[in-house]
Amino acid sequence: MDEQERLRQGEGIRREVLGDAHVDRSQAGRSDFNGDFLDLITRYAWGEIWDRPGLSRRQRSLITIAMLAVLGREAELKLHLSAARNNGVSRDELKETLLQVAIYGGVPAANTAFQLAEEALAASSCDGGDGSGA
């Protein structure tokens, strides 16, 4: 696959995971300064890593959420918490992942992540407690 194909594939996966609105906002902010960076992450994060066999998108989503919570990357964490439902992540899976974060990444990181997750769940109208997708 050449770089242009990987870029197109990455953009498609990025849209499926994060949603058209986010990708459109990101593209609207594209400039001569950040364009190469946007292409890089689209090709390699989305067109390469998120498309690899071996882990489902649901699994990748949960891993990403855990890492972003531990690293304290709140803006990116909010984005991936909101996108988790697109990957089939349930409320219970999200809760269990954040409990794992508390033990292995620290209670303060999990505390913030739980607060952000509750906001994302409420915004997605999946806050009914039925275990449906987050």
Coordinates of all heavy atoms in Angstrom, one line a residue, residues 46-112:
W46 N -3.9 5.8 12.5 CA -5.2 5.3 12.0 C -5.1 4.3 10.8 O -5.8 3.3 10.8 CB -6.1 6.5 11.6 CG -6.4 7.4 12.8 CD1 -5.8 8.6 13.1 CD2 -7.2 7.0 13.9 NE1 -6.3 9.0 14.3 CE2 -7.1 8.1 14.8 CE3 -8.0 6.0 14.2 CZ2 -7.8 8.1 16.0 CZ3 -8.7 6.0 15.4 CH2 -8.6 7.0 16.3
G47 N -4.2 4.6 9.9 CA -4.1 3.8 8.7 C -3.2 2.5 8.9 O -3.3 1.6 8.2
E48 N -2.4 2.6 9.9 CA -1.5 1.4 10.2 C -2.0 0.7 11.5 O -2.4 -0.4 11.5 CB -0.1 1.9 10.3 CG 0.9 0.9 10.6 CD 1.2 -0.1 9.5 OE1 1.1 0.3 8.3 OE2 1.5 -1.2 9.8
I49 N -1.9 1.4 12.6 CA -2.1 0.7 13.9 C -3.6 0.3 14.1 O -3.9 -0.8 14.5 CB -1.6 1.6 15.1 CG1 -0.1 1.9 15.0 CG2 -2.0 1.0 16.4 CD1 0.7 0.6 15.0
W50 N -4.5 1.3 13.9 CA -5.9 0.9 14.2 C -6.5 -0.1 13.2 O -7.5 -0.6 13.4 CB -6.8 2.2 14.2 CG -6.7 2.9 15.5 CD1 -5.8 3.7 16.0 CD2 -7.7 2.8 16.5 NE1 -6.1 4.2 17.2 CE2 -7.3 3.6 17.6 CE3 -8.9 2.1 16.7 CZ2 -8.0 3.8 18.8 CZ3 -9.7 2.3 17.8 CH2 -9.2 3.1 18.9
D51 N -5.7 -0.3 12.1 CA -6.2 -1.3 11.1 C -5.5 -2.6 11.2 O -5.8 -3.5 10.4 CB -5.9 -0.7 9.7 CG -6.7 -1.4 8.6 OD1 -7.9 -1.8 8.8 OD2 -6.1 -1.7 7.5
R52 N -4.6 -2.8 12.1 CA -3.9 -4.1 12.3 C -4.8 -5.2 12.8 O -5.7 -4.9 13.5 CB -2.7 -3.9 13.2 CG -1.6 -3.1 12.7 CD -0.4 -3.0 13.7 NE 0.0 -4.4 14.1 CZ 0.8 -5.1 13.3 NH1 1.3 -4.7 12.2 NH2 1.2 -6.3 13.7
P53 N -4.5 -6.4 12.3 CA -5.3 -7.5 12.9 C -4.7 -7.8 14.3 O -3.7 -7.3 14.7 CB -4.9 -8.7 11.9 CG -3.6 -8.3 11.4 CD -3.6 -6.8 11.3
G54 N -5.4 -8.6 15.0 CA -4.9 -9.0 16.3 C -5.7 -8.4 17.5 O -5.8 -9.1 18.5
L55 N -6.1 -7.2 17.4 CA -7.0 -6.6 18.4 C -8.2 -5.9 17.7 O -8.0 -5.4 16.6 CB -6.2 -5.5 19.1 CG -5.1 -5.9 20.0 CD1 -4.4 -4.6 20.6 CD2 -5.6 -6.8 21.2
S56 N -9.3 -6.0 18.3 CA -10.5 -5.4 17.7 C -10.4 -3.9 18.0 O -9.7 -3.4 18.8 CB -11.8 -6.0 18.4 OG -11.8 -5.6 19.8
R57 N -11.3 -3.2 17.3 CA -11.4 -1.7 17.6 C -11.8 -1.5 19.0 O -11.4 -0.5 19.7 CB -12.3 -1.0 16.6 CG -11.6 -0.9 15.3 CD -12.3 0.0 14.4 NE -11.7 0.0 13.0 CZ -12.3 0.4 12.0 NH1 -13.5 1.0 12.0 NH2 -11.7 0.3 10.8
R58 N -12.7 -2.3 19.5 CA -13.2 -2.2 20.9 C -12.0 -2.3 21.9 O -11.8 -1.5 22.8 CB -14.2 -3.3 21.2 CG -14.9 -3.1 22.5 CD -15.9 -4.2 22.8 NE -15.4 -5.2 23.7 CZ -14.7 -6.2 23.5 NH1 -14.3 -6.6 22.2 NH2 -14.2 -7.0 24.4
Q59 N -11.1 -3.3 21.6 CA -10.0 -3.5 22.5 C -9.0 -2.4 22.4 O -8.5 -1.9 23.4 CB -9.2 -4.8 22.1 CG -10.0 -6.1 22.5 CD -9.5 -7.3 21.9 OE1 -9.1 -7.4 20.7 NE2 -9.4 -8.4 22.7
R60 N -8.8 -1.9 21.2 CA -7.9 -0.8 20.9 C -8.4 0.5 21.6 O -7.7 1.3 22.2 CB -7.6 -0.5 19.5 CG -6.8 -1.6 18.8 CD -6.5 -1.2 17.3 NE -6.0 -2.4 16.7 CZ -4.7 -2.8 16.8 NH1 -3.9 -2.2 17.6 NH2 -4.3 -3.9 16.2
S61 N -9.7 0.7 21.6 CA -10.3 1.8 22.2 C -10.1 1.8 23.7 O -9.7 2.8 24.3 CB -11.8 1.8 21.9 OG -12.5 3.0 22.4
L62 N -10.3 0.6 24.4 CA -10.1 0.5 25.8 C -8.6 0.7 26.2 O -8.3 1.4 27.2 CB -10.6 -0.9 26.3 CG -12.1 -1.0 26.2 CD1 -12.5 -2.5 26.5 CD2 -12.8 -0.1 27.2
I63 N -7.7 0.2 25.4 CA -6.3 0.4 25.7 C -5.9 1.8 25.6 O -5.2 2.4 26.4 CB -5.4 -0.5 24.7 CG1 -5.6 -2.0 25.0 CG2 -4.0 0.0 24.8 CD1 -5.0 -2.9 23.9
T64 N -6.4 2.5 24.5 CA -6.2 3.9 24.3 C -6.7 4.7 25.5 O -6.0 5.6 26.0 CB -6.8 4.4 23.0 OG1 -6.2 3.6 21.9 CG2 -6.5 5.8 22.7
I65 N -7.9 4.4 25.9 CA -8.5 5.2 27.1 C -7.7 5.0 28.3 O -7.4 6.0 29.0 CB -10.0 4.7 27.3 CG1 -10.9 5.3 26.2 CG2 -10.5 5.1 28.6 CD1 -12.2 4.6 26.1
A66 N -7.2 3.8 28.6 CA -6.4 3.5 29.8 C -5.1 4.3 29.7 O -4.7 4.9 30.7 CB -6.1 2.0 29.9
M67 N -4.4 4.3 28.5 CA -3.2 5.0 28.4 C -3.3 6.5 28.5 O -2.6 7.2 29.2 CB -2.5 4.6 27.1 CG -1.9 3.2 27.1 SD -0.9 2.8 25.7 CE -2.1 2.9 24.4
L68 N -4.4 7.0 27.9 CA -4.6 8.5 28.0 C -4.9 8.9 29.4 O -4.5 10.0 29.8 CB -5.7 8.9 27.0 CG -5.3 8.8 25.5 CD1 -6.5 9.0 24.6 CD2 -4.1 9.7 25.1
A69 N -5.7 8.1 30.1 CA -6.0 8.4 31.5 C -4.8 8.5 32.3 O -4.6 9.4 33.1 CB -7.0 7.4 32.0
V70 N -3.9 7.5 32.2 CA -2.7 7.4 33.0 C -1.8 8.6 32.7 O -1.1 9.1 33.6 CB -2.0 6.0 32.8 CG1 -0.6 6.0 33.5 CG2 -2.9 4.9 33.5
L71 N -1.7 8.9 31.4 CA -0.8 10.0 31.0 C -1.4 11.4 31.3 O -0.7 12.4 31.2 CB -0.5 9.9 29.5 CG 0.3 8.7 29.1 CD1 0.3 8.6 27.5 CD2 1.7 8.9 29.6
G72 N -2.7 11.4 31.7 CA -3.3 12.7 32.0 C -3.6 13.6 30.8 O -3.6 14.8 30.9
R73 N -3.8 13.0 29.7 CA -4.1 13.7 28.4 C -5.6 13.9 28.3 O -6.2 13.2 27.5 CB -3.5 12.9 27.2 CG -2.0 12.6 27.3 CD -1.2 13.9 27.3 NE 0.2 13.7 27.1 CZ 1.1 13.8 28.0 NH1 0.8 14.1 29.2 NH2 2.4 13.5 27.7
E74 N -6.1 14.8 29.0 CA -7.6 15.0 29.2 C -8.3 15.3 27.9 O -9.4 14.7 27.6 CB -7.9 16.0 30.2 CG -7.6 15.6 31.6 CD -8.0 16.6 32.7 OE1 -9.0 17.3 32.5 OE2 -7.4 16.6 33.7
A75 N -7.8 16.1 27.0 CA -8.5 16.5 25.8 C -8.6 15.3 24.9 O -9.7 15.0 24.4 CB -7.7 17.6 25.1
E76 N -7.5 14.5 24.7 CA -7.5 13.3 23.9 C -8.4 12.3 24.6 O -9.1 11.5 23.9 CB -6.1 12.9 23.7 CG -6.0 11.9 22.5 CD -6.0 12.6 21.1 OE1 -6.0 13.9 21.1 OE2 -5.9 11.9 20.2
L77 N -8.3 12.2 25.9 CA -9.2 11.2 26.6 C -10.6 11.5 26.4 O -11.4 10.5 26.1 CB -8.8 11.2 28.1 CG -9.6 10.3 29.0 CD1 -9.5 8.8 28.6 CD2 -9.2 10.5 30.5
K78 N -11.1 12.7 26.5 CA -12.5 13.1 26.2 C -12.9 12.6 24.9 O -14.0 12.1 24.7 CB -12.7 14.6 26.3 CG -12.6 15.2 27.7 CD -12.9 16.7 27.7 CE -12.7 17.3 29.0 NZ -12.9 18.8 28.9
L79 N -12.0 12.8 23.9 CA -12.3 12.4 22.5 C -12.5 10.9 22.4 O -13.5 10.5 21.9 CB -11.2 12.9 21.6 CG -11.3 12.4 20.1 CD1 -12.5 13.0 19.4 CD2 -10.0 12.8 19.4
H80 N -11.6 10.2 23.0 CA -11.7 8.7 22.9 C -12.8 8.1 23.8 O -13.4 7.1 23.4 CB -10.4 8.1 23.2 CG -9.5 8.2 22.0 ND1 -9.5 7.2 21.0 CD2 -8.6 9.1 21.6 CE1 -8.6 7.6 20.1 NE2 -8.1 8.7 20.4
L81 N -13.2 8.8 24.9 CA -14.3 8.3 25.7 C -15.6 8.5 24.9 O -16.5 7.7 24.9 CB -14.4 9.1 27.0 CG -13.4 8.7 28.1 CD1 -13.3 9.8 29.2 CD2 -13.7 7.4 28.7
S82 N -15.7 9.7 24.2 CA -16.9 9.9 23.4 C -17.0 9.0 22.2 O -18.1 8.5 21.8 CB -16.9 11.4 22.9 OG -17.0 12.2 24.0
A83 N -15.9 8.6 21.7 CA -15.8 7.7 20.5 C -16.0 6.2 20.9 O -16.2 5.4 20.0 CB -14.5 7.9 19.7
A84 N -15.8 5.9 22.1 CA -15.8 4.5 22.5 C -17.1 3.8 22.1 O -17.0 2.6 21.7 CB -15.7 4.4 24.0
R85 N -18.2 4.4 22.1 CA -19.5 3.8 21.6 C -19.4 3.3 20.2 O -20.0 2.3 19.8 CB -20.7 4.7 21.9 CG -20.7 5.9 21.0 CD -21.9 6.8 21.3 NE -21.8 8.0 20.6 CZ -21.1 9.1 20.9 NH1 -20.3 9.1 21.9 NH2 -21.1 10.2 20.1
N86 N -18.6 4.1 19.4 CA -18.5 3.7 17.9 C -17.7 2.4 17.8 O -17.7 1.8 16.7 CB -17.7 4.8 17.2 CG -18.5 6.1 17.1 OD1 -19.7 6.2 17.3 ND2 -17.8 7.2 16.9
N87 N -17.0 2.0 18.8 CA -16.2 0.8 18.8 C -16.8 -0.3 19.5 O -16.2 -1.4 19.8 CB -14.8 1.1 19.3 CG -14.1 2.1 18.4 OD1 -14.1 2.0 17.2 ND2 -13.5 3.1 19.1
G88 N -18.1 -0.2 20.0 CA -18.8 -1.2 20.7 C -18.4 -1.4 22.1 O -18.7 -2.4 22.7
V89 N -17.8 -0.4 22.7 CA -17.4 -0.4 24.2 C -18.7 -0.2 25.0 O -19.5 0.7 24.8 CB -16.4 0.7 24.5 CG1 -16.1 0.7 26.0 CG2 -15.1 0.4 23.7
S90 N -18.9 -1.1 26.0 CA -20.1 -1.0 26.8 C -19.7 -0.2 28.1 O -18.5 0.0 28.4 CB -20.5 -2.4 27.3 OG -19.6 -3.0 28.2
R91 N -20.7 0.2 28.8 CA -20.5 1.0 30.1 C -19.7 0.1 31.0 O -18.8 0.6 31.7 CB -21.9 1.3 30.7 CG -22.7 2.3 29.9 CD -24.1 2.4 30.5 NE -24.1 2.5 32.0 CZ -24.0 3.7 32.6 NH1 -23.9 4.8 31.9 NH2 -24.0 3.7 33.9
D92 N -20.0 -1.2 31.1 CA -19.3 -2.0 32.1 C -17.8 -2.2 31.7 O -17.0 -2.2 32.5 CB -20.0 -3.4 32.2 CG -21.3 -3.3 32.9 OD1 -21.5 -2.3 33.6 OD2 -22.1 -4.3 32.7
E93 N -17.6 -2.3 30.4 CA -16.2 -2.4 30.0 C -15.4 -1.2 30.3 O -14.2 -1.2 30.7 CB -16.1 -2.7 28.5 CG -16.5 -4.1 28.1 CD -16.6 -4.3 26.6 OE1 -17.1 -3.4 25.9 OE2 -16.3 -5.4 26.2
L94 N -16.0 -0.1 30.0 CA -15.4 1.2 30.3 C -15.1 1.3 31.9 O -14.0 1.7 32.3 CB -16.3 2.4 29.9 CG -15.8 3.8 30.0 CD1 -14.4 3.9 29.3 CD2 -16.8 4.8 29.5
K95 N -16.1 1.0 32.7 CA -15.9 1.0 34.1 C -14.8 0.1 34.6 O -13.9 0.5 35.3 CB -17.2 0.6 34.8 CG -17.1 0.6 36.3 CD -18.4 0.2 37.0 CE -18.7 -1.2 36.8 NZ -19.9 -1.7 37.6
E96 N -14.8 -1.1 34.1 CA -13.7 -2.0 34.4 C -12.3 -1.5 34.0 O -11.3 -1.7 34.7 CB -14.0 -3.4 33.9 CG -15.2 -4.1 34.5 CD -15.1 -4.2 36.0 OE1 -14.0 -4.5 36.5 OE2 -16.1 -4.1 36.7
T97 N -12.3 -0.9 32.8 CA -11.0 -0.4 32.4 C -10.5 0.7 33.3 O -9.3 0.8 33.7 CB -11.1 0.1 30.9 OG1 -11.5 -1.0 30.1 CG2 -9.9 0.8 30.4
L98 N -11.4 1.6 33.7 CA -11.0 2.7 34.6 C -10.7 2.2 36.0 O -9.8 2.8 36.7 CB -12.1 3.8 34.6 CG -12.4 4.4 33.2 CD1 -13.5 5.5 33.4 CD2 -11.1 5.0 32.7
L99 N -11.3 1.1 36.5 CA -10.9 0.5 37.7 C -9.5 0.0 37.6 O -8.7 0.1 38.6 CB -11.9 -0.6 38.2 CG -13.3 -0.1 38.6 CD1 -14.2 -1.3 38.8 CD2 -13.2 0.7 39.9
Q100 N -9.2 -0.6 36.5 CA -7.8 -1.1 36.3 C -6.8 0.1 36.3 O -5.7 0.0 36.8 CB -7.8 -1.8 34.9 CG -6.6 -2.6 34.7 CD -6.6 -4.0 35.2 OE1 -7.7 -4.4 35.7 NE2 -5.6 -4.8 35.0
V101 N -7.2 1.2 35.7 CA -6.4 2.4 35.7 C -6.1 2.8 37.1 O -5.0 3.2 37.5 CB -7.1 3.5 34.9 CG1 -6.4 4.9 35.2 CG2 -7.0 3.3 33.4
A102 N -7.1 2.8 38.0 CA -7.0 3.2 39.4 C -5.8 2.4 40.1 O -5.0 3.0 40.8 CB -8.3 3.0 40.2
I103 N -5.8 1.1 39.8 CA -4.8 0.3 40.5 C -3.4 0.4 39.9 O -2.4 0.6 40.6 CB -5.3 -1.2 40.5 CG1 -6.6 -1.4 41.3 CG2 -4.2 -2.1 41.0 CD1 -6.5 -0.9 42.7
Y104 N -3.4 0.4 38.6 CA -2.1 0.3 37.9 C -1.6 1.7 37.5 O -0.4 1.9 37.2 CB -2.1 -0.6 36.7 CG -2.1 -2.0 37.2 CD1 -3.3 -2.7 37.3 CD2 -1.0 -2.7 37.6 CE1 -3.4 -4.0 37.7 CE2 -1.0 -4.0 38.0 CZ -2.2 -4.7 38.1 OH -2.3 -6.0 38.6
G105 N -2.5 2.7 37.4 CA -2.0 4.0 36.9 C -2.2 5.1 38.0 O -1.7 6.2 37.8
G106 N -3.0 4.8 39.0 CA -3.2 5.8 40.1 C -4.6 6.3 40.2 O -5.3 6.4 39.2
V107 N -5.0 6.4 41.5 CA -6.4 6.9 41.8 C -6.7 8.3 41.2 O -7.7 8.5 40.7 CB -6.6 6.8 43.3 CG1 -8.0 7.4 43.7 CG2 -6.6 5.3 43.7
P108 N -5.8 9.2 41.3 CA -6.1 10.5 40.7 C -6.4 10.5 39.2 O -7.3 11.1 38.7 CB -4.8 11.4 41.0 CG -4.3 10.8 42.2 CD -4.5 9.3 42.0
A109 N -5.6 9.7 38.5 CA -5.9 9.5 37.0 C -7.2 8.9 36.8 O -8.0 9.3 35.9 CB -4.8 8.6 36.4
A110 N -7.6 7.9 37.6 CA -8.9 7.2 37.4 C -10.0 8.1 37.8 O -11.1 8.1 37.2 CB -8.9 5.9 38.2
N111 N -9.8 8.9 38.9 CA -10.8 9.9 39.3 C -11.2 10.8 38.2 O -12.4 11.0 37.9 CB -10.3 10.6 40.6 CG -11.4 11.5 41.2 OD1 -12.5 11.1 41.3 ND2 -11.0 12.7 41.5
T112 N -10.2 11.4 37.6 CA -10.5 12.3 36.5 C -11.1 11.6 35.3 O -12.1 12.1 34.7 CB -9.1 13.0 36.0 OG1 -8.6 13.7 37.1 CG2 -9.4 13.9 34.8

